[in-house]
Amino acid sequence: MTSSTNVSCFHEARRVAIFGGTHGNEMSGVTLVNLWIQNGKEIQRKGVETKPFITNPRAVEKCTRYVDTDLNRAFTTENLSAPSGDDLPYEVQRAQQINEIFGPKGSPEAYDVIFDLHNTTSNMGCTLILESSKDYFNLQMMHYIKNAIAPDSCPVLLTEHPLLKYSTSRSVAKHPIGLEVGPQPQGVLRSNIFESMRVVLKHALDFIELFNKGLEFPPCTVDVFRVSEKMDYPRDTNGNIIAMVHPNLQDCDWEPLNPGDPMFQTFDGTTIRYEGAGTVYPTFINEAAYYEKQQAFVTTRRETLAAGAIKKT
Amino acid sequence: MEGREVVLPTVSRVALCGGTHGNELSGVYLVRERLKRKVEEEDHFSVVTVMSNPRAVQQCRRYTETDLNRCFTHATLSGPVTDKTPYEIVRSQELNTLLGPKGSPEAMDLVCDLHNTTANMGLCLIAYSDCDWISLHIYRYLQRQMSDIPVRFIHFDLPLNEAYSLDSVGKHGFAIEIGPQAHGVVRSNILSTMQEGVQHMLEWVHLFNSGTQFEGGKVDVYTMVKNVDYPREFETHGITAAIHPQLQDRDFCLLRPNDPVFQTFSGETLKYKGTEPLYPFFINECAYYEKGIALSLARQRSVGIPSIRSEREGEQGKRKSSAEEMEEEEEIKGEMEEEGYQKLMEYGEESDSLNGQYN
C-alpha cells in the first residue's frame, strides 16, 4: 500500500469537553471555563458539541489544588471501578462522576476529545501534553496548532511511560489533550497566560471543525519530548529538601541539560551537577505542586513522531 | 543634613522571623537553615530566629484558619483565648509573649519578618513609621550594599495599636518582602537575595552597636494611599478582569490617569480613573484576591533622616517607652521636614535622579 492511500479514518469528533479547575488554583482554566459556561459562543463550532466543565468545584471554591487527593491522579482503574460511597475521598467520588458523564473510559460511549486546562509555576510556555504516541488524531491536531501559532512555539510533552504516566481526568476521552501553560503562580491570573491558552484552544477547535467537515490531513511529523526520568530534590535523612534548583537551570525548561551541567545548589552554595549518560531536556522545573510528589523536574528526550494521514469516516 | 545627631539605644536583641505565611518559602528556608546551624550570637547582640507559623509551614499554606500577619493589633493580642480560638490568634499571643509584649520596654529591639510576594517588587522594607531612624538607616544601607536588586521602603501610615503585622511587636520592626516568587516555590536567586539582605541588616546592627556614626541624608519612601480591587460580578463576586498586560509586573512604575489597569475577559481595557499619578505595588499578589486587592497605590516622597549613633557607656538616659521614642521621632521629623522644605525651595527636587533607577 502506498502512503497516499494509507489514511486512518476516525469517527467525527462530535462530543468535545473542555475541563477547567482540575486543580482548583490553576486560574486560567478556571476562568476560561467559567466564562464559557456563562457564554459559550467563542467555543462553538459547526458540527461540534463543546461542553465546558469545572471538574473540581470544591477545590476551585477554596482556591486549592485539591481537597482530599489530586484529581488528576485519581482516574485509575481501581478508583473508577470501586463501589461508590460517601466515605471515598472527594476527588475519587468526583472521578467516578466524571467517568459516568464523559466516559466510561475505554468505551465507545466516551467523549471524543477532552482538553484539560492547567497552569504551572514552571517556565514551560504553552505546552501540549500527549498521552499516546500512536494517537494520529491528536498528533495531527498538535501539528496543526504548532503551525497556526508559529513563530510562537508549543512544545509537546509525551507522557507515555510505563512508570511515569498518570491517570488524568482527560484520560476518560478517546483523545485526551492536556494544555499546560506557565509560568504562573498558583492562585494568580495573568492576562498574557490566559490569552495564550485561549488562542491555543481556538486553533484546536478550528482543527476539529475542519476535520468534521471532511478535510483530509496528509501525513506529518511532530517533534515531541518524551518523558524519561523524574528527578527529586536532594534531601536529608528526615526528608527535608537540602538544595534548590540551580540558578543556571531555573526557568530553562526545554533547554538541553548536559552531563556536568549545574542542576541543584545547596543552601551553602555548593553546586550539584547532572550526572546522566547523555543530554536531556528538563521540564516542569520547580513546579510548586511537585515538591510533595518528590519531583524537582522531569527529564525528557527528543523524538520525532510520525502520524499517518487522517480523515473523517 | 547638618546639625542634629540622634543618639539611640543599642539594638541588642534582634528577632528574625520566617514562615509567618507558610507558603512564602524564602523565609521558611532561611529560618530553617539558621535554626539548624543554631546561629544565635553575633558580636554585640543576640538574634532569636523564629518559625512564626509552624502549622502553616508544615502544610505549605498561607495560614490554617486566619492570616497570622493580621493578628497583631492590640485588640487581637489582648483578646480572650478559648478552645475555639483560631490557631493563628493563639500563636500571635504566644509570639507577643516571646518577642514583646508589643509597646513595652521588654519587647525585642528589632523584629524583622521575612516574606515573599508574587508581585514584581524587588526587595521592599515595609514598616508603619516613616520616622523610625533605625529602620530607615537600615534601608539606606541595604540600598547602597545591594546593587543587583531594587530596594525600596513602603510605609503604611497606621498608629501602633492598629498596626496588625508581626514586625510591629518590636520596638523597631519591618518586613522584608521579596518578589516575584510563586508561593510554594523556592527560587535560588530570590533566596540568595534574602540571605544577602538579612546579612547586610545584621552587619548594620553590628556596626551601629559598635558605635559607628551613620550620617544623615535623604531617602525615598513610598507611603500607601489606597487599594484597588478587581472589577467583580455583582452576584457571584467573581472577578471579571485581569491586571492589564501593560501594568502586569510594573510595580513602582508611575501610574498616570487613564493608564490601563485591567483587561476584561472580553478584551476591554479599563483605565485608571484617579486624578493623582501614584505608584502601584503588590500588583497581582496571589494572597490579596481574597482581601479584595488587585494592586495598592502609593505616593513617593523624599524623607530626611538625621545622623545617628548608638549610646555610649554612661550616656544611657532613662529607657524610653515606644510612645515616648515615637514622640521624639515625630518632633525631629517635623524639624527635618521644615529644613527639607527650605532646601527644596533652594535646590529643587533632589530625589528625581533616584527615580529612574528602578523602572
Side-chain angles (χ1 to χ4, degrees):
Chain A
M1 264 196 221
T2 61
S3 57
S4 58
T5 55
N6 207 358
V7 184
S8 302
C9 289
F10 293 87
H11 287 299
E12 198 173 47
R14 177 161 285 284
R15 292 155 82 225
V16 172
I18 302 178
F19 285 176
T22 297
H23 296 133
N25 53 10
E26 293 177 14
M27 303 304 291
S28 308
V30 171
T31 308
L32 280 170
V33 165
N34 277 332
L35 207 65
W36 292 329
I37 287 172
Q38 282 203 1
N39 183 351
K41 191 156 168 246
E42 189 182 335
I43 54 172
Q44 274 164 23
R45 293 291 189 280
K46 216 163 164 200
V48 190
E49 293 161 27
T50 316
K51 189 181 169 100
F53 188 79
I54 295 284
T55 43
N56 197 339
R58 252 193 234 176
V60 169
E61 208 212 333
K62 292 182 162 184
C63 196
T64 187
R65 182 176 174 86
Y66 57 81
V67 171
D68 292 330
T69 187
D70 194 333
L71 180 61
N72 215 29
R73 304 290 183 277
F75 286 76
T76 59
T77 319
E78 188 191 337
N79 280 347
L80 295 179
S81 55
S84 61
D86 287 338
D87 51 320
L88 289 174
Y90 170 72
E91 277 86 5
V92 174
Q93 292 183 46
R94 203 58 197 145
Q96 293 180 344
Q97 289 163 10
I98 289 166
N99 192 39
E100 234 175 287
I101 303 170
F102 298 98
K105 181 166 165 174
S107 78
E109 290 81 49
Y111 261 58
D112 297 296
V113 183
I114 295 179
F115 297 100
D116 192 18
L117 307 183
H118 288 266
N119 291 118
T120 173
T121 57
S122 306
N123 188 26
M124 288 168 72
C126 240
T127 294
L128 297 170
I129 306 185
L130 180 67
E131 299 198 356
S132 160
S133 58
K134 300 183 183 42
D135 188 338
Y136 286 359
F137 180 85
N138 273 0
L139 279 167
Q140 288 279 3
M141 184 194 297
M142 293 184 180
H143 180 254
Y144 178 89
I145 294 170
K146 275 166 162 280
N147 275 353
I149 69 165
D152 290 340
S153 69
C154 211
V156 175
L157 175 66
L158 176 64
T159 55
E160 189 179 67
H161 187 288
L163 298 171
L164 297 181
K165 183 167 184 172
Y166 45 89
S167 309
T168 57
S169 49
R170 58 186 177 267
S171 66
V172 158
K174 293 174 186 146
H175 305 289
I177 291 143
L179 256 81
E180 187 82 54
V181 187
Q184 180 171 271
Q186 295 166 347
V188 163
L189 184 69
R190 289 179 69 101
S191 54
N192 61 326
I193 299 284
F194 172 84
E195 287 302 323
S196 48
M197 190 181 269
R198 201 175 195 172
V199 163
V200 167
L201 268 167
K202 170 199 146 17
H203 292 306
L205 293 171
D206 287 346
F207 169 85
I208 294 174
E209 185 177 11
L210 288 168
F211 176 83
N212 285 356
K213 275 190 187 154
L215 189 65
E216 179 176 321
F217 292 85
C220 69
T221 59
V222 182
D223 289 333
V224 305
F225 293 91
R226 184 191 282 271
V227 83
S228 177
E229 193 186 355
K230 178 172 119 166
M231 304 291 283
D232 190 12
Y233 292 96
R235 292 176 190 266
D236 65 18
T237 45
N238 292 327
N240 292 319
I241 289 175
I242 56 172
M244 321 162 273
V245 171
H246 195 278
N248 287 21
L249 179 59
Q250 179 68 56
D251 298 335
C252 293
D253 300 69
W254 309 122
E255 290 176 35
L257 180 70
N258 302 303
D261 283 351
M263 190 171 57
F264 295 111
Q265 186 179 72
T266 65
F267 297 122
D268 57 15
T270 311
T271 297
I272 297 173
R273 295 176 186 277
Y274 177 59
E275 281 170 7
T279 299
V280 291
Y281 296 83
T283 193
F284 275 121
I285 299 173
N286 209 351
E287 160 54 50
Y290 290 173
Y291 282 53
E292 72 173 19
K293 297 197 200 300
Q294 283 85 48
Q295 185 176 307
F297 62 95
V298 79
T299 64
T300 70
R301 296 205 145 81
R302 295 180 76 155
E303 217 174 289
T304 302
L305 297 181
I310 65 167
K311 187 168 83 170
K312 179 179 82 163
T313 313
Chain B
M1 280 294 170
E2 60 224 312
R4 193 120 170 190
E5 175 194 72
V6 175
V7 175
L8 294 168
T10 54
V11 178
S12 18
R13 295 160 70 230
V14 175
L16 190 59
C17 307
T20 301
H21 294 134
N23 56 4
E24 293 176 18
L25 295 192
S26 306
V28 170
Y29 278 70
L30 198 148
V31 159
R32 226 180 237 162
E33 285 303 299
R34 284 187 68 95
L35 290 172
K36 248 200 246 175
R37 290 182 293 128
K38 295 186 165 53
V39 185
E40 271 158 16
E41 288 288 325
E42 312 274 335
D43 294 327
H44 302 290
F45 62 101
S46 67
V47 183
V48 134
T49 303
V50 181
M51 192 70 87
S52 315
N53 194 341
R55 243 187 238 185
V57 168
Q58 206 255 331
Q59 294 178 34
C60 198
R61 301 161 60 101
R62 182 178 176 83
Y63 57 82
T64 62
E65 293 176 83
T66 189
D67 191 338
L68 176 62
N69 216 27
R70 300 293 180 274
C71 292
F72 293 90
T73 58
H74 263 136
T76 308
L77 290 176
S78 46
V81 168
T82 67
D83 55 5
K84 295 209 173 29
T85 307
Y87 167 73
E88 277 87 6
I89 293 183
V90 174
R91 188 66 184 141
S92 71
Q93 296 192 359
E94 271 171 26
L95 289 164
N96 191 40
T97 305
L98 180 69
L99 307 177
K102 174 167 163 170
S104 79
E106 287 79 48
M108 285 280 156
D109 294 307
L110 177 63
V111 171
C112 174
D113 190 21
L114 305 174
H115 287 265
N116 291 117
T117 173
T118 57
N120 185 27
M121 285 168 66
L123 191 156
C124 288
L125 272 63
I126 307 182
Y128 293 101
S129 168
D130 61 354
C131 52
D132 176 345
W133 313 131
I134 300 278
S135 301
L136 287 168
H137 269 275
I138 290 174
Y139 161 49
R140 192 177 64 170
Y141 187 75
L142 254 58
Q143 258 187 342
R144 288 175 172 176
Q145 299 297 318
M146 298 177 76
S147 49
D148 288 344
I149 188 167
V151 175
R152 299 183 180 93
F153 191 97
I154 301 175
H155 161 230
F156 280 70
D157 198 2
L158 286 175
L160 191 65
N161 64 328
E162 281 175 45
Y164 45 74
S165 52
L166 172 55
D167 48 272
S168 68
V169 169
K171 294 193 184 120
H172 308 280
F174 48 81
I176 293 184
E177 182 91 56
I178 305 187
Q181 180 172 270
H183 298 316
V185 156
V186 173
R187 288 181 68 94
S188 47
N189 61 325
I190 298 284
L191 182 61
S192 303
T193 300
M194 192 173 269
Q195 283 167 334
E196 224 191 302
V198 166
Q199 187 65 16
H200 288 307
M201 176 187 74
L202 297 176
E203 238 166 53
W204 184 93
V205 172
H206 169 76
L207 290 168
F208 178 75
N209 290 346
S210 311
T212 308
Q213 187 201 53
F214 290 92
E215 55 169 59
K218 276 199 199 179
V219 289
D220 285 334
V221 162
Y222 291 89
T223 298
M224 150 73 165
V225 172
K226 61 182 174 182
N227 293 321
V228 178
D229 192 8
Y230 290 96
R232 289 177 187 270
E233 238 182 284
F234 182 67
E235 278 169 19
T236 63
H237 212 57
I239 67 174
T240 57
I243 295 284
H244 197 279
Q246 284 174 40
L247 177 59
Q248 179 69 55
D249 299 335
R250 293 176 63 80
D251 299 71
F252 301 107
C253 297
L254 189 64
L255 185 71
R256 298 178 174 86
N258 286 325
D259 278 350
V261 179
F262 297 110
Q263 186 174 70
T264 68
F265 302 140
S266 50
E268 192 195 337
T269 297
L270 302 178
K271 299 177 180 175
Y272 175 49
K273 288 292 164 235
T275 48
E276 182 190 354
L278 291 171
Y279 291 87
F281 64 100
F282 278 129
I283 299 173
N284 210 350
E285 160 54 49
C286 168
Y288 288 177
Y289 282 57
E290 71 174 19
K291 297 193 201 296
I293 300 170
L295 64 145
S296 300
L297 290 168
R299 224 168 255 136
Q300 186 199 48
R301 39 190 258 283
S302 184
V303 169
I305 58 176
S307 153
I308 65 169
R309 67 168 172 83
S310 60
E311 278 169 352
R312 295 191 193 110
E313 288 283 337
E315 218 178 4
Q316 268 171 13
K318 71 173 164 70
R319 293 210 84 163
K320 299 196 192 81
S321 71
S322 293
E324 282 171 317
E325 268 190 22
M326 272 174 53
E327 219 184 277
E328 190 183 281
E329 281 165 359
E330 290 284 341
E331 220 183 273
I332 298 175
K333 178 183 167 185
E335 285 176 25
M336 302 194 75
E337 276 182 359
E338 243 186 70
E339 228 183 282
Y341 179 74
Q342 283 171 358
K343 275 242 161 86
L344 258 177
M345 298 299 279
E346 290 169 29
Y347 302 121
E349 287 281 355
E350 286 175 21
S351 59
D352 277 347
S353 58
L354 287 173
N355 277 355
Q357 263 182 37
Y358 310 135
N359 285 355

